[in-house]
Structure formats: structure tokens, C-alpha cells
Amino acid sequence: QVQLVESGGGLVQAGGSLRLSCAASGRTFSSYRMGWFRQAPGKEREFIGGISPGGTTIRYEDSVKGRFTISRDNAKNTVFLQMNSLKPEDTAVYYCAGKLSPGGTYIYTTASDYNYWGQGTQVTVSS
């Protein structure tokens, strides 16, 4: 079992950058596939990207491709979401999610595929 805690959210102007972190407890973080999701008011939670356990495979949704970068440091039990060129439509609560699934490079894109969730961190982009 793993506990996830996000940090790094805040208020930023359009065009700015933020870096979110998701720190995991436990000793098997390197066996978890990790995903980033976001949920804007009145909208469903949407997948924005994910990373394989070893960090060799990363997938992004088209809406963030080229602007957002996902990485992980398994030695520090942390996954990161670097967000650049932020737009007002990026405003949402951002969540990291984990699924215990060692080996392979498949990236799950559906929220129900993930077993563990952080509490979320608010990102607000002003125009």
C-alpha cells in the first residue's frame, strides 16, 4: 500500500510555470505505474499523463503535450509534473494516482485503473 501527497500547486499567470510533486510512502514505489489527472469544476476527472514504473515510457494527452513533462525519481519516491506555458483552461485540481503493477511499460489512462490517489492540489491560471 502507498500513500500519495501532492504539493506545488498555486496561482500563476497565463504563460507561467508550476512544478507539482507527488511524494509516495512505502518501499515499493518503483513498482507503481503513476498517473496525473485533473478535474475542473463541473467536469469529469481527466487523464493528462502517466509514467511507467521504470520511467522509460511516458504518455501525455494531446491537450498538454509539448507543455507538460512527467518524470519520476524512484530513489526519492517522487513523481513530478512540470507544467509550462500554462493556460486558463489548465485551471483544475490536479491529482497523482498510483497502480501497483511492476514491469512493463503500459500506461493506464482511466481513473478506475488506479488504486491509490493523492488529496489533490489546486492549480489556478489567471488570464
Side-chain angles (χ1 to χ4, degrees), residues 100-111:
L100 179 60
S101 179
T105 58
Y106 183 77
I107 304 297
Y108 293 92
T109 63
T110 303

Side-chain angles (χ1 to χ4, degrees), residues 72-93:
R72 67 189 297 163
D73 185 339
N74 285 343
K76 296 183 178 180
N77 283 14
T78 304
V79 62
F80 303 97
L81 178 65
Q82 176 67 44
M83 304 184 294
N84 298 328
S85 302
L86 283 162
K87 305 175 182 179
E89 51 263 43
D90 294 318
T91 295
V93 178

